[in-house]
Amino acid sequence: MIPFFKTLLIAHVIFGVIGTMAIYGVLLATLKKTPSLKFLKCASLVTFASFIISWFSGGYYYVLYYGDMVKPRILAGQYPWAHKIATEAKEHIFLFLPFMALALMAVLWRMGDQLTTNEVLRKRVALLAGAITILAVFVTLAGIVISGSAR
Amino acid sequence: MDIYLFLIIAHLLGTILGVGGATFVEIFLIRALKDGQVNSTESGFLKTTYTVVRIGLVLAILSGFGFLLYYQFHGQTFKLYNPLLWAKITMVLVIAWNAVLLQAHKISLYWGSAISFVTWYSATIVGILLTNFKSFSYFEIMVTYAIIVVVGAFVLDRVRKFLGVTL
């Protein structure tokens, strides 16, 4: 693998993990009775920015390297299901994760000051943050499964 | 510095902060609850210790993924299917999910504190087994872990009662 693709893969993984940890931070903070708005805004911004960087670096790697170099190896190897199930599921969830993160960030930046007074809003923000966290963890685990199957 | 050495140091630092922090959370909690209420000083100590645990968790996770990338670039992707690695990942997810349940008050302190305390130690031990190429199935590790959580919760409760603390 040439350094350019290595850099793309490193950026995809590390920013994906940072985004996942940041959205987990948002989830934990929204479960508090008096969440810190400053933290929520900052963490939601980090989540969105990280997912975007992971999105573009992973997408570029997928189009230019994975399809030609990795996918055939997985399909010919012991674990072809890793591509057929994990990659297929991952690439579709991966597509809308940044948009979910953008929606969450928009709500927190525009209506975040209502979180302490509006219980319904706080619960729905927590629900959205929880859904993004679960999907992000799934995508992360799928990434490990895919990488492990390429031998 | 060699990248692998850097990853080992970062992962060890994260583990030390996490395990040490989880231990001191338990100690501070026992001390704080001895008089039946948590005052502002005790609350401050607990918050600081939770921050240390979170820093440890972030360091351990980031360096852990650093290892996975290292294996990817050095032709060792077979290591990513090691059952011990998946047991360790499961334990990290348990730590994260337990924190959510504790924050949402959906789990009792009896189980919540025991799960956090025991899981940090279990993940560390599994990490050591992983480094030393020991071979166990995912099922063996997780059943042992579940038993240790139950026993750990009981032992912690007995220690609290011995010290005159009720949750």
Side-chain angles (χ1 to χ4, degrees):
Chain A
M1 196 188 293
I2 61 169
F4 176 65
F5 290 124
K6 274 189 182 176
T7 309
L8 285 178
L9 189 59
I10 291 168
H12 172 63
V13 171
I14 296 301
F15 281 101
V17 173
I18 289 172
T20 305
M21 289 193 290
I23 190 63
Y24 173 70
V26 172
L27 171 64
L28 277 184
T30 50
L31 292 172
K32 284 183 181 173
K33 279 188 181 164
T34 49
S36 158
L37 185 56
K38 197 176 160 189
F39 173 81
L40 282 173
K41 282 183 172 178
C42 182
S44 64
L45 180 67
V46 170
T47 303
F48 176 64
S50 301
F51 281 168
I52 283 291
I53 296 170
S54 181
W55 206 53
F56 278 107
S57 53
Y60 209 69
Y61 170 85
Y62 181 85
V63 171
L64 292 182
Y65 188 82
Y66 178 89
D68 292 335
M69 305 298 289
V70 185
K71 183 178 155 186
R73 265 168 48 214
I74 296 175
L75 291 176
Q78 276 182 286
Y79 311 99
W81 55 267
H83 174 82
K84 288 176 183 167
I85 299 170
T87 309
E88 290 295 333
K90 188 187 174 194
E91 70 181 47
H92 289 96
I93 296 168
F94 176 71
L95 281 179
F96 62 78
L97 261 185
F99 297 100
M100 288 176 81
L102 177 63
L104 182 75
M105 188 180 77
V107 170
L108 286 171
W109 280 73
R110 284 185 67 86
M111 301 164 73
D113 53 341
Q114 297 173 31
L115 278 181
T116 46
T117 52
N118 190 338
E119 187 64 10
V120 176
L121 177 70
R122 192 177 67 85
K123 281 186 176 168
R124 287 185 183 167
V125 167
L127 195 67
L128 179 58
I132 300 172
T133 306
I134 289 169
L135 290 175
V137 168
F138 172 78
V139 165
T140 308
L141 297 181
I144 301 172
V145 169
I146 296 160
S147 296
S149 67
R151 299 179 189 181
Chain B
M1 191 197 293
D2 175 39
I3 187 75
Y4 194 72
L5 182 62
F6 172 78
L7 288 173
I8 290 172
I9 292 170
H11 205 65
L12 277 177
L13 273 177
T15 309
I16 290 164
L17 292 177
V19 175
T23 308
F24 274 92
V25 163
E26 197 54 44
I27 292 167
F28 287 144
L29 203 61
I30 289 172
R31 283 185 67 95
L33 290 172
K34 215 164 183 181
D35 58 0
Q37 56 185 359
V38 180
N39 65 35
S40 59
T41 311
E42 291 162 341
S43 172
F45 274 124
L46 279 168
K47 277 182 186 166
T48 308
T49 319
Y50 279 125
T51 306
V52 171
V53 174
R54 282 170 193 155
I55 292 169
L57 189 61
V58 168
L59 255 180
I61 291 175
L62 279 177
S63 54
F65 276 90
F67 279 122
L68 302 187
L69 281 166
Y70 183 89
Y71 298 148
Q72 172 84 22
F73 299 141
H74 290 81
Q76 300 173 31
T77 50
F78 63 91
K79 287 186 176 175
L80 306 190
Y81 276 20
N82 188 328
L84 285 169
L85 174 72
W86 283 91
K88 197 175 170 189
I89 290 171
T90 308
M91 287 173 193
V92 172
L93 291 176
V94 168
I95 290 171
W97 183 242
N98 184 52
V100 171
L101 293 178
L102 277 168
Q103 190 82 283
H105 302 288
K106 299 282 184 195
I107 189 170
S108 66
L109 209 49
Y110 176 93
W111 285 111
S113 85
I115 289 171
S116 172
F117 185 76
V118 171
T119 310
W120 266 106
Y121 278 91
S122 302
T124 306
I125 292 166
V126 172
I128 294 166
L129 296 176
L130 195 59
T131 313
N132 288 284
F133 307 106
K134 299 293 177 194
S135 178
F136 294 98
S137 74
Y138 180 83
F139 184 73
E140 284 173 324
I141 294 285
M142 294 316 293
V143 168
T144 311
Y145 162 67
I147 293 168
I148 293 171
V149 167
V150 175
V151 173
F154 177 76
V155 171
L156 279 175
D157 193 54
R158 298 304 297 177
V159 170
R160 283 189 210 109
K161 280 184 179 149
F162 177 75
L163 295 169
V165 177
T166 46
L167 293 178

